[in-house]
Each structure stands twice: as C-alpha cells, then as structure tokens.
Amino acid sequence: MQQATAEVLQVISQSVDDAQPVLDKILESCGRLITSNWLFVNLVGDDGRLHLAASHVFGKVGRVGWTQAELEAINTSIAKVYPIALENTATAVAIASGRVLNFPDVLNGDDVPMGARASAQAVGWNYSQMTAPLMQGGRGIGSIAVMREALGGFTAKEQALLKTFADQAVIAIQNARLFNETKDALEQQTATA
C-alpha cells in the first residue's frame, strides 16, 4: 500500500496540469492491490451526467485471461455508453451517502441502485461492486468503481484502500483544475496588457 501511494503521489507531482495520468495510475494500483476485473473513474460533467474519465479491465479471475484485443474491445464498448444520467447510479448513491458502497451481488442485492443493476443486466454478468465517491469539499464530483466476478463483496480493508485512492484522485483533479484556471487567467492578463 505504501509503495502504491508513493507511486501515485509521484505521478501527481509530475502531472500538475493533467489529472489523466494520475487516474490511470490509481486504477493500475487498485488493480494490483484489490482483486478486480473492471475499474472505472466516473466524473460528473458540467451537463450533470456521468462521463468516463478512466477505465481498466483485467482478465477474468481464475480463468484464462483475455487477449489484448479483447480487453481493448471491452474498453471501447464500455466507453460507448457514456455519458450516462447520474440518477439511480452507484455514483449518485455513494455521493449522497459520502461513503464507500459495497454491493456483494449486483444482480440480486436488495440495496443495489437501479442503474448499477441495469448495467449488470445489459452486459449479462453478475459481479460484486465497490464504489467510492470523489468528494471535493461537500460536493460530489464522481466516483471510482471496482468490480469483480467473484460474488461476496469487498473487505473493510479493501474499502479503506479504495477510499484512500479516491482521496488521491480528488487531489489530482483539483490540482489540474486550479493549475489550468491560473494559467488561463495569466494568459488573459498578458493578452490584455
């Protein structure tokens, strides 16, 4: 965990104007530390809809892994469904509760949001899902979602780990936003002068 955190912080320091490399590194680190098959960072856009900011797909646990072409095809098909309405998604529920959500059985769980259940039905797979809100102050800006084929949910340790990565993602997003706003303001001042 400490090495993964250090790696993410190093990427944050090198990518002050762009959060994308940090989001990619966070998903890579999550995939190493939490058994998973699919990981996503979703951000709430200015249009109020969820936009896919980063994704990572791993070969199926306990089975022969997917080829690189199959992984790329899965990522492409996932990206095509975005943007999606925020309402009734795991992201919306995680933001409203301000905590990491754990769904041990997405298709059959009682507390699973309709949007998460509909996604599982659409792909024809059942899985466990954990979703951490990305909170900037009191405002939700998105989520990190981790899914795995094995049903049964995620441990308290895995949930705490995802929360740490979510906090790092918010720092990277905020840094990039502030850097770019400052750069734009300086360019406007220079043009005016």
Side-chain angles (χ1 to χ4, degrees):
M1 171 59 188
Q2 289 175 338
Q3 180 179 348
T5 300
E7 290 171 0
V8 171
L9 292 174
Q10 181 179 9
V11 175
I12 288 173
S13 72
Q14 296 170 351
S15 303
V16 294
D17 64 335
D18 183 11
Q20 191 64 51
V22 180
L23 299 179
D24 292 337
K25 182 57 139 179
I26 286 170
L27 293 185
E28 177 190 315
S29 297
C30 278
R32 280 195 328 243
L33 297 172
I34 301 171
T35 301
S36 56
N37 300 104
W38 312 278
L39 301 106
F40 305 101
V41 175
N42 294 312
L43 296 178
V44 179
D46 293 337
D47 59 0
R49 298 170 62 84
L50 282 181
H51 295 261
L52 182 63
S55 66
H56 198 85
V57 179
F58 293 98
K60 293 185 176 185
V61 174
R63 297 185 186 173
V64 177
W66 287 316
T67 66
Q68 187 61 36
E70 289 170 324
L71 292 174
E72 289 171 11
I74 292 168
N75 267 330
T76 299
S77 66
I78 289 167
K80 285 181 182 178
V81 303
Y82 286 87
I84 59 176
L86 177 61
E87 291 178 331
N88 299 317
T89 64
T91 299
V93 176
I95 288 171
S97 70
R99 63 182 178 81
V100 176
L101 303 177
N102 183 14
F103 303 114
D105 183 336
V106 172
L107 281 179
N108 303 304
D110 292 335
D111 59 345
V112 177
M114 291 296 288
R117 190 182 318 276
S119 294
Q121 290 168 337
V123 297
W125 297 327
N126 195 10
Y127 46 84
S128 297
Q129 178 173 336
M130 173 172 57
T131 303
L134 301 179
M135 302 298 291
Q136 192 172 7
R139 186 174 73 94
I141 62 170
S143 70
I144 298 179
V146 177
M147 289 82 132
R148 68 175 163 218
E149 191 176 33
L151 299 180
F154 296 83
T155 66
K157 182 178 177 182
E158 290 171 320
Q159 292 174 56
L161 184 60
L162 187 62
K163 171 137 181 26
T164 298
F165 283 124
D167 292 343
Q168 290 177 329
V170 170
I171 291 168
I173 292 164
Q174 178 71 355
N175 283 352
R177 184 185 67 76
L178 291 172
F179 179 87
N180 289 318
E181 284 176 0
T182 302
K183 185 176 104 179
D184 291 346
L186 287 172
E187 286 173 0
Q188 285 181 345
Q189 286 179 346
T190 303
T192 304

